[in-house]
Amino acid sequence: MKQRMGPGHWVGFLVILVWCLLPVVWIVMVSLKPVAETTTGSPQFFPKTWTIQNYKDIVKNDDFLHALVNSFGIALIATFLAVVFATLAAYAIARLEFRGKRVVLSIALAIAMFPVVSLVGPLFDMWRVLHLFNTWPGLIIPYMSFTLPLAIWTLSAFFREIPWEMEQAAQVDGATSWQAFRKVIVPLAAPGVFTAAILTFFFAWNEFVLAISLTSTTAARTVPAQMSFFVGSDQFNPPYSQLAAAAVVVTVPVVVIVLLFQRKIVAGLTSGAVKG
Amino acid sequence: MTETAVAPRTTTPARASDRSIAENRLGLRLVAPAVVLMVLVTAYPMIQALYLSLFKYRLTVPDDKSFTGLGNYVTVLSDSLFWKDMLNTVLIMIITVAIELVIGFAFAMVMHRIVFARGLMRTSILIPYGIITVVSAFAWQFTFSLNNGFVNSWFHWLPWIGPDTNWFGDHWHAMFAIMASEIWKTTPFMSLLLLAGLSQVSEDMLEAAKVDGATWTQRLVKVILPNMRAAIMVAVLFRALDAFRIFDNIFIMTKGAQNTESSSFLTYRQVIEQFQLGMGSALSVLLFLSVLLIAYILVKLFRVDLAQARQEA
Amino acid sequence: MAPHPRRRPTRRARALAIGATLALTAGLLAACGGSSGKPTLTWYINPDPSAPSGFKGAFGQAGIAARCSTKDYTVKVQQLPGDATQQRIQLARRLAAKDSGIDLMSLDPVFTGEFANAGFLAPIPDQLAEQLKSTTLSGAVDGATWNGKLVVAPLWANTQLLWYRKSFAQKAGLDMTKPVTWDQIIKAASDNGGTVGVQANKYEGYVVWINALIEGAGGSIIQDASKGSDAKVTIDSNAGRDAATVIKELADSHAAEGDLSVSNEGTVLGPFATSKGAFIVNWTFIYSNYKDDKATLADLGWTRYPETVAGTPSKPPLGGINIGINKNSSHVDDATAAAQCITSADNQVTYAVETGNMPASKAAYDSADLKKAYPSDLLQAFSSSIDAAGPRPVTPYWSDISSAIQSTWHSPKSVGSSTPQKSADFITDVLKGRKLL
């Protein structure tokens, strides 16, 4: 159907590629410069001397590796749990009639808009009392809370798109709501669930304010927070190129996920997120 | 896990009259875990913030804690810094969302028509979306850095950029750098949401309009945009509220220097850095109220009841 | 748990859920339990420079921790963020919550007053305090004292010197054997195509400069610091205006570096190593920094911090790290003993040789190891600079005062004769809680 592509589209295509990838290529270039070069100033795009020393230094940096493990663990657990809870809630919102549905939607909306910064202080005190400060659950719980709205939102829109008749048909055939859910909805909803999972993962992988405020050691500190802990040969010059190397390393999982699942992510967003 | 707890109850066949009661109960059970989690993490802290905002209270001088009523709110609302930061935040929000909307729409149009390398296109558009904001902020800080950035050497032919332009040296340059970082990272999100809306515009309607001799602009204004209203609304709402809470970029790039502080950053500094729990809590409450106000204005502006729109879909 | 694994998959799901919950709580338990055997003292340190390649064993403060572990306790280090503001936030929040997970901490002098006043610090036993006072350089003692009491144990003392390129000073015809003024070096640099590197980003380092300029003109930012928020703000004075004059002169001169308004201790290093490099004011690490750059090192000169007003001896900035003991630590006595070991002259010397961070102890400057690592006239310059230092006021409200100064004095280009008065008003309003920072 959409066969015609003018030169405008070609230009647009190139512009999009440059727009999206130039800063990424740039940070890769910075990461390949020796630390000494960035300390004295290295304004050219490509390194004067190419080196992979920064990457070697990073994989020897135990604190950074700990942070990487924390980031993965926390993001994956938060994603899994948030998606489970969101799936249940979204199913109910999309398919069932129950009192308080609008209240749930309003709560979700309010929390989606919540300025995280305004929670940090009280949350810190609360976590100290509950011994959740500087632990994985201490980050997992708020990450779940803050990703639930988006996940519920995406999923309920998604669930609404699934043809009603099929579930009703299944119910007429004697299936219960639950069986209808499992046999009919789950296969149809899988792409939406997947999208919600990826969005949640990106959020947890990305989160910074809570990560710097609710952790104090490498027991729970995630990569975004760990970035401010990089030290160079003197305490006043952050090792810029090493920082860039760390940035590249934490971007790799994002790129991998995107490469593997780009079709699903876009399809999920396209069919689910915005059908107001 | 909770689904397993719920399952056995609904396996008993229900009579028609019990159905709505069962459905009601099931509905509540299914949403309960999510609601509890969301409320747990936000409600108590917000109540505590409301309470503390009525006190003069500093963490490091706990003996000095005293009740001031609405004193903190009066101080904050009559303070020029609060309004300056609010202005910054609103400016960042309006400018970035407007630019993202335009660029994002252009991107969406291109992506909609592209027939080859769609995988490559999708992959590259999703990378800025998925990248960590802190990383993006570092990348852009390096980009604009006087000693380590390429912007000056690439663009010094522009009249307002010299080889020595210090991008973090004054207000507007620094704001530009912060907004560039924000726009780069979030335009893809915008364009994907808009692409979704675009794909809902019926090709037949477009063809029909074309046959009737409508120009490209007419088709855009009369057919495409009206049919995308819901998509645009959701995209703008989400992005605007997100942009209003901008923090990471500023934290990494300027730490609020050159008057580039946002309302979130001000709140963070009061609560976390200055340990001004009373004043900071008042700011937290005001920040939350501002967010609600913006959401309200946007929803009114689009004349759509959001929850209702979701229901009707 | 799985008698009918095939027919009841829900059981398995539930087991999984329980497993996940256990995994979650395991983290909690790990945080609470495990206090059998010999105690571990956790020492929160500011980051040390990275160890040179080929260095064997524990470096810097981690090395000290290893040497100070005894048969009764083990000292373990945990790193704080690089920037002092973040260090203060992390520590103060946890100390205010009476966290016993911190035993010892490396404190920047600027939050000593705040922590001591808030009752976060365990008192240093009189005998140890007396001993530390008599063996430590007087400038460093001042920075470690609150309300007449030594509240932390100095580990190392930092100070700023005027570092210069000998060839440049010669070209400019400046006699560096005599005290020089800011006016002189700015003129010399701008007339000869050189730069003067300072710290003028919106951060603590800028206030270090401002404070040194004011102290050097015989003034001070506040007086009666012990009165807390009722201290007398004295920045609006002739000394304050002298300081503003110097900053304005540099900001308007060709001697200013292009990134003056975002400059810090690190950004000035690059330009200093180029042909435009002329002068920088900077901390003691500069010498170690250029140690491997033989060309620059041969041309590197140093002298006392510049004078604000000709004829009035300068009062160089003071920095460094002091060791504080958490009052709520479960092992205060062990921690006190460890603090004594950590700050011993021997450890200060090893630390200085490794990192370039200079000792606070007088005796350490006579050590053969230190003399082997650094030229004796440099050591002499350091110790006399520390002794003559004009530290930033020790007050519980320093972070407010500092931020208020940063807001009113930044950027350097905006500084003028009315700046001191504006900042005095603002500081007063902030201390009285009338204005936001």
Side-chain angles (χ1 to χ4, degrees), chain A residues 19 97 99 114 199 262 276, chain B residues 23-24 122 129 184 245 309:
Chain A
W19 169 282
E97 275 315 315
R99 270 171 287 129
F114 216 92
L199 299 182
Q262 32 97 1
Chain B
E23 191 173 307
N24 196 30
R122 275 196 294 256
Y129 168 71
W184 174 73
R245 293 174 289 178

Side-chain angles (χ1 to χ4, degrees), chain B residues 182-218:
Chain B
E182 177 80 1
I183 291 171
W184 174 73
K185 170 148 170 59
T186 51
T187 297
F189 178 70
M190 190 73 118
S191 69
L192 285 174
L193 294 194
L194 294 176
L195 177 64
L198 207 52
S199 63
Q200 292 204 297
V201 178
S202 124
E203 288 289 325
D204 297 344
M205 266 166 86
L206 279 177
E207 275 310 312
K210 213 171 191 177
V211 170
D212 290 348
T215 63
W216 186 85
T217 324
Q218 282 171 330

Side-chain angles (χ1 to χ4, degrees), chain A residues 2 4 19 26 38 42 97-99 102 114 122 126 144-145 157 160 177 199 206 262 274-276, chain B residues 19 23-24 37 41 44 46 48 115 122 124 129 133 143 147-148 184 196 200 210 245 308-310:
Chain A
K2 309 164 193 166
R4 267 162 302 130
W19 169 282
W26 162 241
T38 52
S42 169
E97 275 315 315
F98 62 99
R99 270 171 287 129
R102 282 188 66 111
F114 216 92
M126 223 165 123
M144 285 166 66
S145 312
R160 244 179 240 121
S177 301
L199 299 182
N206 193 339
Q262 32 97 1
V274 288
K275 293 201 175 159
Chain B
R19 224 191 138 76
E23 191 173 307
N24 196 30
L37 249 173
V41 174
Y44 172 75
M46 214 55 227
Q48 203 198 0
V115 289
R122 275 196 294 256
S124 29
Y129 168 71
T133 313
T143 307
N147 291 327
N148 281 310
W184 174 73
Q200 292 204 297
K210 213 171 191 177
R245 293 174 289 178
Q308 199 60 45
R310 312 292 309 172

Side-chain angles (χ1 to χ4, degrees), chain A residues 79-93 144 147-156 159 193 196 200, chain B residues 30-31 33-34 37:
Chain A
T79 302
F80 174 74
L81 295 176
V83 167
V84 168
F85 291 151
T87 306
L88 300 178
Y91 173 75
I93 287 164
M144 285 166 66
T147 49
L148 274 170
L150 185 61
I152 293 177
W153 190 275
T154 311
L155 283 168
S156 61
F159 288 171
V193 174
T200 306
Chain B
L30 288 176
V31 294
L37 249 173

